[in-house]
Amino acid sequence: MASSSLSLVLLLCLAAAASAQLSTTFYDSSCPKALSTIKDAVTAAVNKENRMGASLLRLHFHDCFVQGCDASVLLSGNEQNAFPNVKSLRGFEVIDSIKAKLETLCKQTVSCADILSVAARDSVVALGGPTWTVGLGRRDSTTANEALANSALPAPSSDIVNLTDAFGPKGFSLTDIVALSGAHTIGQAQCQNFRDRLYNETNINSGLATSLKANCPRATGSGDNNLAPLDPTTPYSFDNVYYTNLKSQKGLLHSDQVLYAGGSGAADNIVSNFASNPAAFSSAFASAMVKMANLSPLTGSQGQVRLSCSKVN
Ligand code: HEM
Ligand SMILES: *[C@@H]1O[C@H](CO)[C@@H](O)[C@H](O)[C@H]1NC(C)=O
Ligand SMILES: *[C@@H]1O[C@H](CO)[C@@H](O)[C@H](O)[C@H]1NC(C)=O
């Protein structure tokens, strides 16, 4: 009797431990084509429009930083209206179409949160970047939190202390922050997010500033949504050129350029290492993405597997 109740307790402990963890083989029997379906759709979307790879990577980041990687960012309204997201996040229709395909293959099996996490990885790979293994078994939230999105997502006017305040409590080191910022080796930003940098800052390459000003006028309200590549040198190659840009004062956002202060900054050595050693960047980026993808997932019987990513069941 004592020994059977002990094994029951042991069993419950094991079950709890298993449910709190993601597994790389989660869909192997329940939906064996899940990973290849996502990869094929992401590759096609990125081939059609390179920027989509950037947009899908950013969606995963903005999901995970707000109540964990639970697809809360995909619920209509809510977080989508937060300042860092509104008229900025994109890629929802690609995720919706992957979800629709997976629903026909394996009904209510693959979560939207897992689709986002795998799509982010496949996007980076499609643009020539490193790969990593994505743990699976996340479940989808039934709630989203706009106020939390506003406070948890870092603003482009952030300095290093602001970045450390945003990333540190979630378990990211300064090396992780510098590596993750390397995501800005792809994708675009709107004039309103780099205007102050063009007109108020002196640590910007003058040739770059001149060319960007042509499409981003000083006056607020004019050209606010005009786009420029975050990496002006190789905009759609997932490489380490972001860091050589920083060393020549070609970071687009204030929050990018603060990572390199010309030799005296806290992150300067990390930037220099990633600029001269592409393999060091690749491995630091991959391990920081694994950390990001593991931020407080819902598992076991928590949350739900949504039927449609934009609304709760
Ligand atoms: C370090 C703090 C960060 C700040 C302050 C920041 C801020 C921004 C801003 C303001 C934009 C442009 C949005 C627009 O103008 O519509 C942007 C774009 C982007 N961000 Fe970040 N970001 C940060 C970190 C990250 C991380 C960790 C990732 C992913 C790992 C990421 C991936 C991207 C990508 C790929 C784009 C381009 C999206 C597209 O073209 O659709 N960012 N970010
Ligand atoms: C950066 O941190 C300072 C000090 O806490 C704060 O006043 C400021 O609003 C923060 N800026 C951003 C962009 O988060
Ligand atoms: C940047 O310059 C604009 C005018 O061009 C001004 O309105 C704004 O307050 C300045 N911002 C900072 C951070 O100095």
Side-chain angles (χ1 to χ4, degrees):
M1 186 63 196
S3 99
S4 83
S5 67
L6 187 70
S7 34
L8 183 69
V9 167
L10 211 82
L11 200 76
L12 287 173
C13 287
L14 284 172
S19 77
Q21 264 192 340
L22 302 174
S23 147
T24 57
T25 57
F26 194 79
Y27 297 116
D28 280 9
S29 54
S30 62
C31 195
K33 293 207 166 118
L35 292 183
S36 62
T37 302
I38 300 170
K39 190 182 192 79
D40 290 350
V42 167
T43 307
V46 174
N47 287 343
K48 189 167 146 210
E49 190 211 8
N50 281 339
R51 188 184 176 197
M52 191 50 70
S55 303
L56 293 173
L57 174 58
R58 186 168 184 238
L59 262 188
H60 182 45
F61 165 46
H62 284 213
D63 179 31
C64 296
F65 261 52
V66 183
Q67 51 180 48
C69 309
D70 61 357
S72 54
V73 74
L74 300 180
L75 291 174
S76 297
N78 290 293
E79 289 172 26
Q80 297 178 353
N81 296 326
F83 291 110
N85 293 341
V86 71
K87 291 185 183 155
S88 178
L89 279 188
R90 51 202 297 285
F92 298 108
E93 66 292 341
V94 173
I95 299 297
D96 286 343
S97 117
I98 293 172
K99 176 64 175 174
K101 212 168 293 175
L102 289 174
E103 284 304 301
T104 66
L105 283 178
C106 343
K107 195 169 167 45
Q108 206 176 4
T109 302
V110 183
S111 68
C112 299
D114 278 346
I115 295 173
L116 271 182
S117 194
V118 174
R121 188 268 317 270
D122 293 346
S123 291
V124 169
V125 171
L127 292 171
T131 193
W132 58 92
T133 304
V134 177
L136 302 166
R138 295 171 193 76
R139 290 167 64 87
D140 302 324
S141 70
T142 54
T143 61
N145 189 332
E146 181 180 348
L148 190 58
N150 276 319
S151 63
L153 294 167
S157 50
S158 296
D159 58 24
I160 293 217
V161 173
N162 296 126
L163 294 179
T164 309
D165 287 348
F167 285 78
K170 294 183 155 61
F172 295 97
S173 65
L174 187 58
T175 301
D176 292 327
I177 294 172
V178 176
L180 288 172
S181 296
H184 292 174
T185 185
I186 54 172
Q188 304 189 18
Q190 303 174 50
C191 165
Q192 59 191 346
N193 286 320
F194 58 83
R195 177 182 278 128
D196 280 0
R197 173 145 169 74
L198 293 188
Y199 294 99
N200 297 19
E201 297 182 7
T202 54
N203 63 342
I204 182 166
N205 176 281
S206 62
L208 179 67
T210 303
S211 73
L212 290 172
K213 282 174 180 173
N215 205 30
C216 184
R218 178 188 288 264
T220 305
S222 75
D224 287 1
N225 309 111
N226 291 350
L227 294 167
L230 283 153
D231 169 359
T233 316
T234 55
Y236 285 104
S237 176
F238 199 101
D239 54 22
N240 67 333
V241 170
Y242 170 81
Y243 301 100
T244 48
N245 288 339
L246 295 184
K247 296 191 81 173
S248 42
Q249 305 194 320
K250 290 181 182 166
L252 185 63
L253 305 178
H254 179 80
S255 58
D256 293 319
Q257 197 58 58
V258 294
L259 301 177
Y260 191 77
S264 60
D268 286 15
N269 290 338
I270 306 168
V271 169
S272 292
N273 180 34
F274 292 163
S276 64
N277 187 346
F281 166 55
S282 290
S283 94
F285 185 79
S287 78
M289 284 302 296
V290 169
K291 246 186 223 183
M292 180 186 292
N294 284 335
L295 287 173
S296 13
L298 301 172
T299 55
S301 59
Q302 297 172 313
Q304 59 182 215
V305 174
R306 281 182 217 146
L307 291 162
S308 162
C309 291
S310 61
K311 53 182 203 281
V312 300
N313 296 338

PDB file of all heavy atoms in Angstrom, residues 143-164:
ATOM      1  N   THR A 143      -6.288  34.152 -23.641  1.00  0.00           N
ATOM      2  CA  THR A 143      -6.297  35.589 -23.355  1.00  0.00           C
ATOM      3  C   THR A 143      -5.101  36.254 -24.028  1.00  0.00           C
ATOM      4  O   THR A 143      -4.132  35.583 -24.408  1.00  0.00           O
ATOM      5  CB  THR A 143      -6.154  35.861 -21.842  1.00  0.00           C
ATOM      6  OG1 THR A 143      -4.892  35.325 -21.413  1.00  0.00           O
ATOM      7  CG2 THR A 143      -7.282  35.242 -21.045  1.00  0.00           C
ATOM      8  N   ALA A 144      -5.195  37.576 -24.161  1.00  0.00           N
ATOM      9  CA  ALA A 144      -4.064  38.382 -24.615  1.00  0.00           C
ATOM     10  C   ALA A 144      -4.063  39.640 -23.753  1.00  0.00           C
ATOM     11  O   ALA A 144      -5.058  39.948 -23.096  1.00  0.00           O
ATOM     12  CB  ALA A 144      -4.219  38.730 -26.090  1.00  0.00           C
ATOM     13  N   ASN A 145      -2.941  40.355 -23.718  1.00  0.00           N
ATOM     14  CA  ASN A 145      -2.822  41.472 -22.780  1.00  0.00           C
ATOM     15  C   ASN A 145      -2.137  42.674 -23.438  1.00  0.00           C
ATOM     16  O   ASN A 145      -0.914  42.733 -23.530  1.00  0.00           O
ATOM     17  CB  ASN A 145      -2.043  40.987 -21.548  1.00  0.00           C
ATOM     18  CG  ASN A 145      -2.049  41.993 -20.423  1.00  0.00           C
ATOM     19  OD1 ASN A 145      -2.158  43.201 -20.649  1.00  0.00           O
ATOM     20  ND2 ASN A 145      -1.925  41.506 -19.207  1.00  0.00           N
ATOM     21  N   GLU A 146      -2.947  43.613 -23.874  1.00  0.00           N
ATOM     22  CA  GLU A 146      -2.424  44.783 -24.581  1.00  0.00           C
ATOM     23  C   GLU A 146      -1.516  45.635 -23.687  1.00  0.00           C
ATOM     24  O   GLU A 146      -0.449  46.079 -24.128  1.00  0.00           O
ATOM     25  CB  GLU A 146      -3.593  45.637 -25.110  1.00  0.00           C
ATOM     26  CG  GLU A 146      -3.145  46.867 -25.871  1.00  0.00           C
ATOM     27  CD  GLU A 146      -4.303  47.716 -26.397  1.00  0.00           C
ATOM     28  OE1 GLU A 146      -5.466  47.246 -26.385  1.00  0.00           O
ATOM     29  OE2 GLU A 146      -4.044  48.862 -26.814  1.00  0.00           O
ATOM     30  N   ALA A 147      -1.924  45.835 -22.440  1.00  0.00           N
ATOM     31  CA  ALA A 147      -1.116  46.673 -21.542  1.00  0.00           C
ATOM     32  C   ALA A 147       0.253  46.037 -21.306  1.00  0.00           C
ATOM     33  O   ALA A 147       1.285  46.727 -21.281  1.00  0.00           O
ATOM     34  CB  ALA A 147      -1.853  46.877 -20.213  1.00  0.00           C
ATOM     35  N   LEU A 148       0.266  44.711 -21.147  1.00  0.00           N
ATOM     36  CA  LEU A 148       1.540  44.016 -20.940  1.00  0.00           C
ATOM     37  C   LEU A 148       2.417  44.119 -22.197  1.00  0.00           C
ATOM     38  O   LEU A 148       3.643  44.254 -22.095  1.00  0.00           O
ATOM     39  CB  LEU A 148       1.279  42.550 -20.574  1.00  0.00           C
ATOM     40  CG  LEU A 148       2.478  41.740 -20.090  1.00  0.00           C
ATOM     41  CD1 LEU A 148       3.112  42.371 -18.859  1.00  0.00           C
ATOM     42  CD2 LEU A 148       2.070  40.294 -19.799  1.00  0.00           C
ATOM     43  N   ALA A 149       1.789  44.052 -23.379  1.00  0.00           N
ATOM     44  CA  ALA A 149       2.559  44.204 -24.619  1.00  0.00           C
ATOM     45  C   ALA A 149       3.213  45.585 -24.653  1.00  0.00           C
ATOM     46  O   ALA A 149       4.376  45.730 -25.043  1.00  0.00           O
ATOM     47  CB  ALA A 149       1.665  43.999 -25.837  1.00  0.00           C
ATOM     48  N   ASN A 150       2.491  46.603 -24.220  1.00  0.00           N
ATOM     49  CA  ASN A 150       3.063  47.954 -24.211  1.00  0.00           C
ATOM     50  C   ASN A 150       4.230  48.081 -23.246  1.00  0.00           C
ATOM     51  O   ASN A 150       5.195  48.789 -23.524  1.00  0.00           O
ATOM     52  CB  ASN A 150       1.982  48.983 -23.856  1.00  0.00           C
ATOM     53  CG  ASN A 150       1.179  49.397 -25.078  1.00  0.00           C
ATOM     54  OD1 ASN A 150       1.736  49.597 -26.159  1.00  0.00           O
ATOM     55  ND2 ASN A 150      -0.135  49.495 -24.926  1.00  0.00           N
ATOM     56  N   SER A 151       4.160  47.379 -22.113  1.00  0.00           N
ATOM     57  CA  SER A 151       5.247  47.542 -21.146  1.00  0.00           C
ATOM     58  C   SER A 151       6.386  46.544 -21.366  1.00  0.00           C
ATOM     59  O   SER A 151       7.534  46.838 -21.042  1.00  0.00           O
ATOM     60  CB  SER A 151       4.709  47.436 -19.713  1.00  0.00           C
ATOM     61  OG  SER A 151       4.164  46.156 -19.483  1.00  0.00           O
ATOM     62  N   ALA A 152       6.108  45.375 -21.936  1.00  0.00           N
ATOM     63  CA  ALA A 152       7.146  44.344 -22.024  1.00  0.00           C
ATOM     64  C   ALA A 152       8.014  44.454 -23.276  1.00  0.00           C
ATOM     65  O   ALA A 152       9.151  43.991 -23.279  1.00  0.00           O
ATOM     66  CB  ALA A 152       6.505  42.955 -21.972  1.00  0.00           C
ATOM     67  N   LEU A 153       7.469  45.044 -24.339  1.00  0.00           N
ATOM     68  CA  LEU A 153       8.247  45.107 -25.585  1.00  0.00           C
ATOM     69  C   LEU A 153       9.097  46.376 -25.601  1.00  0.00           C
ATOM     70  O   LEU A 153       8.601  47.472 -25.349  1.00  0.00           O
ATOM     71  CB  LEU A 153       7.296  45.080 -26.787  1.00  0.00           C
ATOM     72  CG  LEU A 153       6.531  43.755 -26.943  1.00  0.00           C
ATOM     73  CD1 LEU A 153       5.391  43.888 -27.944  1.00  0.00           C
ATOM     74  CD2 LEU A 153       7.483  42.627 -27.345  1.00  0.00           C
ATOM     75  N   PRO A 154      10.402  46.239 -25.872  1.00  0.00           N
ATOM     76  CA  PRO A 154      11.303  47.397 -25.809  1.00  0.00           C
ATOM     77  C   PRO A 154      11.032  48.401 -26.938  1.00  0.00           C
ATOM     78  O   PRO A 154      10.678  48.013 -28.050  1.00  0.00           O
ATOM     79  CB  PRO A 154      12.692  46.769 -25.972  1.00  0.00           C
ATOM     80  CG  PRO A 154      12.466  45.465 -26.666  1.00  0.00           C
ATOM     81  CD  PRO A 154      11.105  44.999 -26.242  1.00  0.00           C
ATOM     82  N   ALA A 155      11.201  49.687 -26.632  1.00  0.00           N
ATOM     83  CA  ALA A 155      11.002  50.738 -27.629  1.00  0.00           C
ATOM     84  C   ALA A 155      12.302  50.996 -28.378  1.00  0.00           C
ATOM     85  O   ALA A 155      13.394  50.744 -27.851  1.00  0.00           O
ATOM     86  CB  ALA A 155      10.552  52.021 -26.941  1.00  0.00           C
ATOM     87  N   PRO A 156      12.195  51.505 -29.620  1.00  0.00           N
ATOM     88  CA  PRO A 156      13.414  51.762 -30.404  1.00  0.00           C
ATOM     89  C   PRO A 156      14.263  52.900 -29.835  1.00  0.00           C
ATOM     90  O   PRO A 156      15.414  53.048 -30.217  1.00  0.00           O
ATOM     91  CB  PRO A 156      12.869  52.119 -31.799  1.00  0.00           C
ATOM     92  CG  PRO A 156      11.444  52.495 -31.589  1.00  0.00           C
ATOM     93  CD  PRO A 156      10.973  51.740 -30.391  1.00  0.00           C
ATOM     94  N   SER A 157      13.698  53.664 -28.907  1.00  0.00           N
ATOM     95  CA  SER A 157      14.480  54.718 -28.255  1.00  0.00           C
ATOM     96  C   SER A 157      15.240  54.183 -27.044  1.00  0.00           C
ATOM     97  O   SER A 157      15.873  54.954 -26.323  1.00  0.00           O
ATOM     98  CB  SER A 157      13.537  55.843 -27.824  1.00  0.00           C
ATOM     99  OG  SER A 157      12.447  55.291 -27.097  1.00  0.00           O
ATOM    100  N   SER A 158      15.216  52.877 -26.830  1.00  0.00           N
ATOM    101  CA  SER A 158      15.881  52.278 -25.662  1.00  0.00           C
ATOM    102  C   SER A 158      17.390  52.483 -25.686  1.00  0.00           C
ATOM    103  O   SER A 158      18.025  52.400 -26.741  1.00  0.00           O
ATOM    104  CB  SER A 158      15.621  50.764 -25.633  1.00  0.00           C
ATOM    105  OG  SER A 158      14.260  50.468 -25.467  1.00  0.00           O
ATOM    106  N   ASP A 159      17.946  52.702 -24.486  1.00  0.00           N
ATOM    107  CA  ASP A 159      19.403  52.628 -24.338  1.00  0.00           C
ATOM    108  C   ASP A 159      19.737  51.248 -23.727  1.00  0.00           C
ATOM    109  O   ASP A 159      18.835  50.435 -23.522  1.00  0.00           O
ATOM    110  CB  ASP A 159      19.940  53.801 -23.499  1.00  0.00           C
ATOM    111  CG  ASP A 159      19.319  53.845 -22.108  1.00  0.00           C
ATOM    112  OD1 ASP A 159      18.855  52.788 -21.616  1.00  0.00           O
ATOM    113  OD2 ASP A 159      19.287  54.939 -21.515  1.00  0.00           O
ATOM    114  N   ILE A 160      21.014  51.026 -23.421  1.00  0.00           N
ATOM    115  CA  ILE A 160      21.390  49.681 -22.948  1.00  0.00           C
ATOM    116  C   ILE A 160      20.685  49.316 -21.638  1.00  0.00           C
ATOM    117  O   ILE A 160      20.283  48.175 -21.443  1.00  0.00           O
ATOM    118  CB  ILE A 160      22.924  49.553 -22.781  1.00  0.00           C
ATOM    119  CG1 ILE A 160      23.589  49.620 -24.146  1.00  0.00           C
ATOM    120  CG2 ILE A 160      23.276  48.235 -22.066  1.00  0.00           C
ATOM    121  CD1 ILE A 160      24.781  48.724 -24.344  1.00  0.00           C
ATOM    122  N   VAL A 161      20.523  50.304 -20.750  1.00  0.00           N
ATOM    123  CA  VAL A 161      19.851  50.005 -19.480  1.00  0.00           C
ATOM    124  C   VAL A 161      18.394  49.607 -19.728  1.00  0.00           C
ATOM    125  O   VAL A 161      17.885  48.639 -19.144  1.00  0.00           O
ATOM    126  CB  VAL A 161      19.955  51.198 -18.499  1.00  0.00           C
ATOM    127  CG1 VAL A 161      19.117  50.947 -17.253  1.00  0.00           C
ATOM    128  CG2 VAL A 161      21.404  51.448 -18.126  1.00  0.00           C
ATOM    129  N   ASN A 162      17.710  50.314 -20.634  1.00  0.00           N
ATOM    130  CA  ASN A 162      16.329  49.939 -20.976  1.00  0.00           C
ATOM    131  C   ASN A 162      16.275  48.513 -21.545  1.00  0.00           C
ATOM    132  O   ASN A 162      15.356  47.758 -21.230  1.00  0.00           O
ATOM    133  CB  ASN A 162      15.726  50.890 -22.016  1.00  0.00           C
ATOM    134  CG  ASN A 162      15.591  52.323 -21.516  1.00  0.00           C
ATOM    135  OD1 ASN A 162      16.065  53.253 -22.144  1.00  0.00           O
ATOM    136  ND2 ASN A 162      14.931  52.507 -20.389  1.00  0.00           N
ATOM    137  N   LEU A 163      17.244  48.163 -22.378  1.00  0.00           N
ATOM    138  CA  LEU A 163      17.260  46.809 -22.966  1.00  0.00           C
ATOM    139  C   LEU A 163      17.489  45.761 -21.890  1.00  0.00           C
ATOM    140  O   LEU A 163      16.828  44.717 -21.859  1.00  0.00           O
ATOM    141  CB  LEU A 163      18.336  46.697 -24.052  1.00  0.00           C
ATOM    142  CG  LEU A 163      18.127  47.550 -25.314  1.00  0.00           C
ATOM    143  CD1 LEU A 163      19.280  47.350 -26.289  1.00  0.00           C
ATOM    144  CD2 LEU A 163      16.794  47.238 -25.983  1.00  0.00           C
ATOM    145  N   THR A 164      18.420  46.053 -20.984  1.00  0.00           N
ATOM    146  CA  THR A 164      18.690  45.121 -19.889  1.00  0.00           C
ATOM    147  C   THR A 164      17.468  44.984 -18.982  1.00  0.00           C
ATOM    148  O   THR A 164      17.146  43.895 -18.518  1.00  0.00           O
ATOM    149  CB  THR A 164      19.912  45.598 -19.079  1.00  0.00           C
ATOM    150  OG1 THR A 164      20.962  45.859 -20.010  1.00  0.00           O
ATOM    151  CG2 THR A 164      20.394  44.542 -18.112  1.00  0.00           C
TER     152      THR A 164
END
